Amino acid sequence: MANGTLKVSNIQTSSGSGTITIGQSGETITIPSGATQTGVGGKNTPYFEMSLSSNQTGLSDNTATKIQFDTSDLDSDSGVDVSTNYRYTVQSGDAGKYFLISTATGETASSDDNKDTSVFIYKNGSSVAKTEFETSSSSDAYRIGKTVYTIQDLSAGDYIETFIQINSSSNANTNIAKQGCRMSGFKFIE
């Protein structure tokens, strides 16, 4: 068959349903500069966001503690658990690369003695990302907020949690402030 340009107004199956294949394995399909795509394209789904409705109090000092997100703000594919495990679980058919982000603020119960705060993203019970802030011993804070993010390959059944570790200079119990405490994520279009 000769090479050339196919010019048509519409391509559809003869039956009105089924699959139309453009190109074959190993080929690149190019949309020229200035051309636009309409209709349903790729979607960044699933997506989710969880938050705290009130402070989480009484945390043991300098101990990694799971944040018990109790509010589901977004949940496109029913993967959020805000009542038992406080985590997001990838559902069947949703495997792929995900952007994950968690923000949390650690505070001390009474005075400015928050020495350092670390926030972790856990995948299947193990830390995959961490960020931390440490004060000097002479300038401890009341609240320290941190944000951590990562890109992870996730499969159906994988679960994501957020942990926080707050170190009080007086070894006192600590709290998680509800303000700005969130865990979010979405699957990349591939």
Side-chain angles (χ1 to χ4, degrees), residues 97-110:
K97 286 184 176 51
Y98 282 71
F99 177 79
L100 305 167
I101 185 167
S102 292
T103 300
T105 300
E107 67 180 19
T108 50
S110 58

Side-chain angles (χ1 to χ4, degrees), residues 8-25:
V8 297
S9 295
N10 188 27
I11 300 174
Q12 61 185 31
T13 63
S14 59
S15 64
S17 64
T19 301
I20 297 174
T21 303
I22 300 174
Q24 60 187 1
S25 179

